[in-house]
Amino acid sequence: MAVTNFNGGQYQLDWDWVVTSQNIAANTSTVYGRLYVRKIGGSGFWAAAAPAYQIAGFGSLITGNWGPYDFRSTSQYTLWEGTRTFAHAADGTLNISATAAVDMYNSGGGITTGTATATASAPTIARASRSSFSYVGGAATTTFEAGSIVAVHTNRAAGSFTHTLIASVAGGAYYETIATGVGASFNWSAPIELLTLFPSGTSIAGFIRTQTYSGGTFIGQIDTVFTLTAGAGAVPSIPSVSLSEGNSTVASEVGLFVKGLSRVNAVVNASGYYGSSITERTFTMNGATVPSGDSITPTSAGSVGFTARAVDSRGRVANTSGATTVLDYHSPQFHGLLARRANAAGALLDTGAYIRIDLHSQVQSLINGTQRNGQTIVVKTAPVGTSSWTTRLTSPQGLVYNSWFLVPGGAIFSETAAFRVRVEVSDKFLTSASEAVVATSSVLMHWDANGVGIGKFRSQGKLDVAGDIYQSG
């Protein structure tokens, strides 16, 4: 509203306008305006003539005359009222500045002119639509997963508006028109392939550009930002774990993994997910963990479980598990060993020149279709006091030996000399050894140039005693 006092301050010019309706689709407002003169003091002028008025800036120029008038009996005259339709700017704004000028006779018979300018803004008409997002049939969101379906709501200002929707991700690395002619909403399936745009992260920024049209006329466009994420299913995969034998002897002799002997080489075959790369691969067995390509020696037998783990450049983890057969194993074992003098028939004889071996030994059974293990017995002798070993026997045997035999060579172990006997039991992989001493024959006393033997022939030292020594005093 604009108000101006004029004509000696006894009269007031009132000019005002107000928006009565808006056409959103047409981007126009209908505005009602009114111009009147009010007496605010004095006895009141009157005139038979009709002075002029005009209104500029309220659409086309409005002109006219008012009167005759008589303010002696009336305090207010309406000069003009009516409506005009105004087009808003492309952004939906409308500013109106209209000036009214009114002529009126004064007390001297002349003309006094009053002017009033009313300036104001009409309510802005929403034009370009600003989209928002929600899960389909669910809550509003600005964050959603690649590969998911999200509802894009245009929030259009008029039911006749249509839209073109453009999706942009990673600064325009992906920029695609996803729909045209969209009304109120559109369900967009964010391509899972967008994950390739952020192979080393779990989220990336993007926006939907909503271009609004009224009929065929482009109104404007607004970008709505969203965050695209890698969902819980965006993890690497482990198609297989390749196991191989790193111990060539085990591989050739047995063909299966063997506890304590095998080197289980593990290769974790892993792949990233839509652009991600594998940054870590590990293999775990019997509580030990090594990088893919390294090996572990199994410490248990039977169906031995293992796990494999892969980490990708997004920090996502994949795990898988399996089991492999491991054969039990222990090194060759001695359950009993005696080395004693005997005669040619093997009968024990203190003065015998033969050595009889009583042996109970065993090696581990390793079956892969057939028996893959066996033992070999090796016997060596050396005179006591020397380390000059002579191999007397090499004899392949089965898994278990529990019997006796004479050390080959005949009656060569003089009763006057003591001998060290070394028995070695070997399988395909390891050797265990045990030693015994075969003493000289028993005599009350024996002496030679180097010393004395008590209860035996002297074989070492100045005094070589068989049995305990008692000393008193």
Side-chain angles (χ1 to χ4, degrees):
M1 173 184 289
V3 177
T4 299
N5 295 335
F6 73 108
N7 209 351
Q10 298 182 44
Y11 294 89
Q12 189 177 73
L13 172 63
D14 286 359
W15 160 235
D16 61 72
W17 55 265
V18 64
V19 175
T20 57
S21 64
Q22 291 184 312
N23 186 324
I24 294 176
N27 197 29
T28 61
S29 289
T30 298
V31 182
Y32 167 78
R34 184 179 67 168
L35 176 64
Y36 57 92
V37 175
R38 179 188 303 116
K39 182 180 72 171
I40 59 174
S43 58
F45 294 159
W46 71 93
Y53 67 86
Q54 72 171 25
I55 303 172
F58 198 67
S60 58
L61 181 66
I62 300 170
T63 61
N65 296 89
W66 67 290
Y69 57 85
D70 187 350
F71 283 98
R72 292 173 298 180
S73 57
T74 302
S75 61
Q76 178 175 302
Y77 281 90
T78 298
L79 281 62
W80 181 89
E81 64 179 334
T83 59
R84 293 289 187 270
T85 298
F86 293 88
H88 285 235
D91 62 0
T93 60
L94 172 63
N95 298 311
I96 300 175
S97 181
T99 300
V102 176
D103 293 340
M104 185 178 181
Y105 290 103
N106 57 35
S107 59
I111 295 292
T112 296
T113 300
T115 60
T117 300
T119 300
S121 298
T124 299
I125 296 177
R127 302 302 290 154
S129 302
R130 183 183 299 276
S131 291
S132 60
F133 311 104
S134 74
Y135 298 108
V136 176
T141 185
T142 57
T143 301
F144 45 88
E145 299 175 2
S148 67
I149 299 176
V150 63
V152 182
H153 306 280
T154 61
N155 304 306
R156 56 184 176 177
S160 60
F161 286 178
T162 59
H163 309 83
T164 293
L165 302 180
I166 300 171
S168 175
V169 180
Y174 174 86
Y175 188 85
E176 295 289 338
T177 297
I178 60 174
T180 59
V182 176
S185 66
F186 174 74
N187 289 344
W188 178 45
S189 179
I192 191 68
E193 291 79 9
L194 293 177
L195 289 172
T196 60
L197 299 178
F198 51 112
S200 298
T202 56
S203 66
I204 198 169
F207 64 79
I208 292 293
R209 176 162 291 163
T210 304
Q211 297 179 335
T212 305
Y213 293 85
S214 179
T217 302
F218 175 71
I219 294 175
Q221 64 183 27
I222 296 177
D223 296 340
T224 305
V225 175
F226 62 81
T227 299
L228 190 68
T229 63
V235 297
S237 60
I238 304 177
S240 64
V241 179
S242 301
L243 304 182
S244 62
E245 178 60 76
N247 184 326
S248 60
T249 303
V250 174
S252 61
E253 295 289 349
V254 183
L256 287 177
F257 296 127
V258 178
K259 172 186 172 182
L261 295 178
S262 290
R263 294 196 299 273
V264 181
N265 290 331
V267 175
V268 180
N269 302 302
S271 301
Y273 190 80
Y274 283 99
S276 71
S277 57
I278 300 301
T279 60
E280 178 185 336
R281 293 176 295 170
T282 56
F283 174 78
T284 299
M285 174 185 278
N286 290 142
T289 299
V290 297
S292 174
D294 283 4
S295 62
I296 293 175
T297 296
T299 57
S300 62
S303 180
V304 178
F306 63 82
T307 60
R309 182 176 186 265
V311 182
D312 72 0
S313 51
R314 294 190 182 98
R316 299 295 178 81
V317 178
N319 293 285
T320 191
S321 61
T324 188
T325 298
V326 177
L327 299 181
D328 200 5
Y329 178 79
H330 57 72
S331 60
Q333 295 178 331
F334 286 88
H335 297 300
L337 172 63
L338 292 174
R340 293 172 291 182
R341 291 183 177 276
N343 62 20
L348 297 177
L349 180 63
D350 184 59
T351 59
Y354 296 83
I355 293 179
R356 169 176 163 160
I357 303 296
D358 290 85
L359 175 65
H360 183 189
S361 61
Q362 181 179 5
V363 298
Q364 176 67 48
S365 172
L366 296 173
I367 296 177
N368 182 10
T370 59
Q371 181 58 249
R372 302 302 179 93
N373 204 10
Q375 68 175 317
T376 298
I377 299 171
V378 175
V379 178
K380 300 176 181 180
T381 64
V384 169
T386 74
S387 58
S388 179
W389 293 101
T390 300
T391 300
R392 303 295 183 179
L393 174 70
T394 300
S395 177
Q397 299 291 329
L399 298 179
V400 178
Y401 182 86
N402 190 8
S403 187
W404 66 271
F405 57 88
L406 292 176
V407 175
I412 59 175
F413 303 104
S414 171
E415 65 174 318
T416 64
F419 295 89
R420 297 166 62 194
V421 178
R422 178 181 176 89
V423 178
E424 297 176 351
V425 177
S426 302
D427 65 3
K428 297 291 183 66
F429 310 101
L430 298 176
T431 297
S432 296
S434 184
E435 290 188 19
V437 174
V438 177
T440 61
S441 297
S442 298
V443 294
L444 179 62
M445 181 177 291
H446 169 255
W447 60 89
D448 59 21
N450 296 312
V452 177
I454 304 298
K456 65 186 291 293
F457 288 95
R458 192 206 67 81
S459 60
Q460 56 185 347
K462 288 293 185 180
L463 180 63
D464 192 358
V465 178
D468 298 331
I469 296 176
Y470 175 75
Q471 178 180 349
S472 176

